[in-house]
Amino acid sequence: MSAKAERRIVAILVADVVGFSRLVETDEASALEAVRAARSVVVDPAVADHSGRVFKTTGDGFLAEFGSVVDAVACAAAIQQRLASDPDGVRMRIGINLGDVVVDHDDLLGDGVNIAARLEQLCPPGGVLMSGTAFDQLKGKFHLPVDFDGEHRVKNIAQSVRVYSVRIDGVRHRVKAATTRFAPRRPWLAAAALLLLLGAGVWFLQPGATDTRKPSIAVLPFDNLGGDEATGRLASGLTEDIITDLARFPEVDVVARNSTQQFGGGGVDIRKVGEVLNVAFVLEGSIQRAGDQLRLTAQLIDVATGNHVWSERWDRPAEDLFAVQSEIADQVANRIGGGTGLVQTAGREAARRKRPESLTAYELYLLGTEALEQITPADNARALELLERAVEIDPGFARAWVELAHAHALAENFGADAAAAHSAAMAAAERAVLLDPLDAEAHAVLGDRLGAAGDFVRSEAAFEKALSLSPSSAEILSFYVGWASAFGKPERGAEIVDRVIRLDPNYPAWRYAVFVYAYFMAERFEDAARVAERIPADTQDRFRMVMKAASFAAAGREKEAESTAVAALAAFPDTTVQAFVSGPGWAEHERVLLAKWMAAAGFPACAGPEVLKGLADPFPVPGCP
């Protein structure tokens, strides 16, 4: 292999014949003939039909690469279905992973291949297992149901692997039970210990648990109550768009549309849907047309209770069906998915009812994000505690690292040591991106930290990556507008705020500050002041109070500007125009605009001598040293 090896990201499929050694021992000639027949009649045609390439064969198996996860999983399903049709034929286990590989002539090497091989070893006969990275690319694009089978440690792979199984012909193939990290040398002792644990009433998902399974949802085909063809197309398109948009939210798993088609037509038994598709929530809706008006309804139902978690109705003109379809799909997806969405909120409520000592990593993450969103010093300290516990339990839980980065960044605003808080936030953000390169919010929080360090080029690149992964997420768009002006695009930032408010009019309190900033930097001062007055008093850190005062001053609301500046100086007495705008997180044009209106609000101009010593590049304020 050359010093500069070629690398690429591909979907790897690893397959192996079940019980091959036993078959050879019984009848070697017949076993080899059966494997050859399976390869020539089933495997090779299936790989070719799905644009794959077999790059390695073993005595009883093979390894293949595909340019698409969808092709790899479809090929695996076709192989297993065809083999199952022959009761006397061989059976296979198949593992699939999407990962980075090293190209060595015709061979492929690396963890991308190794993980697929480990999944094949975990796989039950006749089944197909895939990694979390493969599943993330598959969501909403495959016709067979897929079940989450937990996080598993596999040999020679540092981080645990999320494992998903494909239902072949409606049969759920669960991960083999013998997947523990060690086998006790004294099995009787292990059994005795197990009995003692059960007798003591100890639940296995104790604080060491790494259960990070997410809630799942099925979006049923919207009912066409109007009967005409155009309304039917809108119903079909809306269903597809909601599934696609929801699939971009890592907080929830979404069943593919082909799996929900059987439940179209209305009048379905929601509990039956939950049982068949193994989901916790079902979204159903309808569209009715009357003349030139449309009425759309949607409701989210908790499968376990049958209760309506949420319902909404929209009345829209029918003149632009595509615009209506896009608007409603965006609103529904953002209301259900995301960190403050209905599904995650339901998970938080359930977690709050549990004993603190029995919380899993996922539940700690849910409660940590809930505390983080309160934007108070005490709640942020609580969030840090919960999220640190989550990543301690499961170091491979990317989303917990994302929220931990947010918590460290906010701690800096509340007075924590700036260098230490920024360093911790940056490390958490980088860890999140490394663990899950397809998580849009991981890239967004990394962009936020790069921007805070003044690296606007890399920051903008990280945000653009986040937007490409989740272009309709109100959360990702809200993170971006906090930096749009620094990227030289203040008008775009303000326009995106307008869009986000339309998508999510009841937006959470943490967005107030970034919306104020975006409007202020676009010089839409009245809009900035209108949002600023909504900032709750107990959530006002230094940044929020300064932006609020400057917005009031720029909007001509002098008395409010002055009183807000007085309150800010009471809470943060070392606040000055020069010190505030000299930080690395501002572009030059932002410093000029903010300095002007901070001074107008009544903030002192010059930083003190001790503060000046710590400023790498003090902003030149008239009359200041």
Side-chain angles (χ1 to χ4, degrees), residues 140-162:
K141 304 172 186 174
F142 191 62
H143 65 285
L144 294 178
V146 177
D147 300 300
F148 179 61
D149 275 331
E151 298 250 349
H152 294 265
R153 294 282 185 178
V154 296
K155 184 178 179 181
N156 296 331
I157 301 298
Q159 303 297 336
S160 58
V161 178
R162 283 183 292 134

Side-chain angles (χ1 to χ4, degrees), residues 460-516:
E460 185 172 16
F463 274 112
E464 292 298 339
K465 177 64 175 178
L467 290 170
S468 72
L469 289 168
S470 193
S472 299
S473 166
E475 284 188 300
I476 303 303
L477 291 167
S478 297
F479 295 135
Y480 172 82
V481 301
W483 294 99
S485 178
F487 304 152
K489 301 170 182 176
E491 291 79 12
R492 184 190 183 196
E495 290 168 359
I496 289 177
V497 173
D498 295 338
R499 179 187 172 194
V500 170
I501 292 175
R502 288 194 301 271
L503 285 174
D504 187 7
N506 298 313
Y507 51 88
W510 70 262
R511 296 184 194 168
Y512 294 154
V514 290
F515 289 0
V516 170

Side-chain angles (χ1 to χ4, degrees), residues 59-250:
D60 58 340
F62 68 95
L63 292 79
E65 66 164 320
F66 297 81
S68 158
V69 170
V70 176
D71 285 339
V73 178
C75 176
I79 289 172
Q80 296 293 40
Q81 288 170 330
R82 183 72 184 276
L83 292 176
S85 67
D86 180 2
D88 298 322
V90 299
R91 295 290 178 267
M92 284 188 168
R93 299 184 178 95
I94 298 179
I96 296 172
N97 178 48
L98 176 69
D100 182 77
V101 299
V102 177
V103 180
D104 183 14
H105 301 292
D106 290 333
D107 200 2
L108 301 178
L109 309 169
D111 283 351
V113 177
N114 295 339
I115 291 174
R118 300 303 179 220
L119 292 176
E120 177 272 313
Q121 294 167 2
L122 295 180
C123 188
V128 177
L129 295 185
M130 75 180 85
S131 65
T133 57
F135 173 78
D136 290 340
Q137 290 296 303
L138 185 74
K139 291 188 290 186
K141 304 172 186 174
F142 191 62
H143 65 285
L144 294 178
V146 177
D147 300 300
F148 179 61
D149 275 331
E151 298 250 349
H152 294 265
R153 294 282 185 178
V154 296
K155 184 178 179 181
N156 296 331
I157 301 298
Q159 303 297 336
S160 58
V161 178
R162 283 183 292 134
V163 179
Y164 295 82
S165 61
V166 179
R167 292 196 191 186
I168 309 296
D169 294 330
V171 178
R172 180 169 184 178
H173 295 82
R174 295 181 181 274
V175 174
K176 293 192 297 184
T179 59
T180 52
R181 278 189 270 175
F182 65 94
R185 294 189 181 185
R186 299 180 182 178
W188 63 267
L189 186 60
L194 175 60
L195 289 172
L196 286 172
L197 285 171
L198 293 175
V202 178
W203 184 44
F204 280 109
L205 291 179
Q206 291 288 2
T210 59
D211 181 12
T212 54
R213 72 188 71 186
K214 299 177 289 187
S216 54
I217 184 171
V219 181
L220 304 188
F222 271 55
D223 293 330
N224 172 17
L225 302 182
D228 65 294
E229 185 177 345
T231 308
R233 288 195 298 270
L234 175 60
S236 178
L238 182 58
T239 305
E240 182 68 33
D241 281 358
I242 291 173
I243 290 173
T244 301
D245 288 351
L246 273 176
R248 294 191 175 105
F249 288 94

Side-chain angles (χ1 to χ4, degrees), residues 549-584:
S551 296
F552 284 150
R557 296 163 60 169
E558 291 87 356
K559 289 185 179 180
E560 291 164 290
E562 182 181 348
S563 63
T564 304
V566 168
L569 290 168
F572 304 98
D574 61 342
T575 303
T576 64
V577 174
Q578 188 175 39
F580 192 83
V581 302
S582 293

Side-chain angles (χ1 to χ4, degrees), residues 251-274:
E251 293 86 358
V252 60
D253 286 336
V254 187
V255 173
R257 182 179 182 183
N258 287 342
S259 298
T260 61
Q261 288 285 70
Q262 59 184 303
F263 299 105
V268 299
D269 182 341
I270 296 300
R271 292 179 186 268
K272 181 65 174 178
V273 175

Side-chain angles (χ1 to χ4, degrees), residues 440-453:
E441 193 170 339
H443 291 278
V445 72
L446 179 60
D448 178 78
R449 292 300 84 206
L450 290 168

Side-chain angles (χ1 to χ4, degrees), residues 64 158 201 219 251-252 277 298 318 344 375 394 405 426 449 490 512 548 597 612:
V219 181
E251 293 86 358
V252 60
L277 298 179
Q344 189 140 304
I375 319 292
D394 186 0
M426 179 67 83
R449 292 300 84 206
Y512 294 154
K548 187 174 185 177
W597 293 112
L612 273 175

